[in-house]
Amino acid sequence: MAELRSEEEQLDAIKQWWKQNGTSLIAGVALAGAGVFGWNAWQDYQANQAEAASMRYQQLLSLSGQDALDESARSRANELVAEITDEHDGTLYADLALLIDARLAVGQGDLAAARDALEAVIDTSSRDYLQGLARLRLSRLQVADNDAEAALSTLETGVPETLAAQRANVRGDAHFAQGDEDAARQAWEEALTLAQERGQPLYGVELKLDNLGHDEATL
């Protein structure tokens, strides 16, 4: 009988504990289940977003590879760039879409639109290399737009060392545009030296130096 009472007391204790804690336990299990479901749903959403961004970028890449874009194709390219940058902001696809947009704008002679796209990469990208690439391209546009001083300012910071040869090359272009041939020669020689040291092809620099009477023996 003592054992029976002991078992009944244990059962009563369990019932009492369940009465006090059962609701919160069920809620905890439900929340845990919801958390797992929510995480899986978030993972699925992220995968779907990445797939959508990739598909849009591939369409944009295909359009940009055409020799010339008619009005309809350019309009579609604009739509794709807007969709990628709006719906996939902060992704690599958004940065690359803006770089393509800048190139397409240059091809159509719209330098203002090209500058806007490149400045957007510089201002918003978290990727140092792409920011530096955008700075290089922007500085080239500034030289072409007869604003060599702005180009030199653009190149002052934010260009990684992996692009140092290209930076020196554009700096030489800017100095040449200002009429400073000595500074241009120095910058182009630096560009050529860096390119040779790093095994990076840099086309056109030797021709620029030759046009200044560059002495090959100085390399």
Side-chain angles (χ1 to χ4, degrees), residues 109-127:
D110 191 349
L111 298 188
R115 282 195 299 270
D116 289 343
L118 294 172
E119 287 171 352
V121 177
I122 293 168
D123 293 339
T124 64
S125 177
S126 60
R127 298 163 183 84

Side-chain angles (χ1 to χ4, degrees), residues 35-110:
V36 171
F37 174 79
W39 173 251
N40 289 337
W42 173 250
Q43 291 288 86
D44 289 343
Y45 170 78
Q46 290 290 82
N48 291 336
Q49 285 291 93
E51 183 178 358
S54 177
M55 289 179 62
R56 284 169 171 152
Y57 178 71
Q58 289 300 324
Q59 293 177 44
L60 178 61
L61 201 59
S62 178
L63 284 172
S64 70
Q66 298 179 15
D67 292 336
L69 296 184
D70 58 23
E71 184 176 348
S72 175
R74 180 53 178 153
S75 176
R76 178 55 182 155
N78 288 340
E79 290 175 0
L80 287 168
V81 171
E83 289 171 4
I84 293 171
T85 54
D86 289 345
E87 298 181 27
H88 311 288
D89 184 38
T91 66
L92 175 61
Y93 293 114
D95 292 345
L96 295 176
L98 287 169
L99 291 175
I100 289 176
D101 189 41
R103 179 162 58 82
L104 293 176
V106 170
Q108 293 191 317
D110 191 349

Side-chain angles (χ1 to χ4, degrees), residues 131-155:
Q131 280 186 317
L133 193 59
R135 284 185 175 276
L136 283 174
R137 294 183 179 179
L138 177 60
S139 63
R140 290 192 184 103
L141 286 182
Q142 290 167 332
V143 171
D145 203 27
N146 299 316
D147 197 352
E149 185 174 350
L152 292 171
S153 178
T154 297
L155 295 172

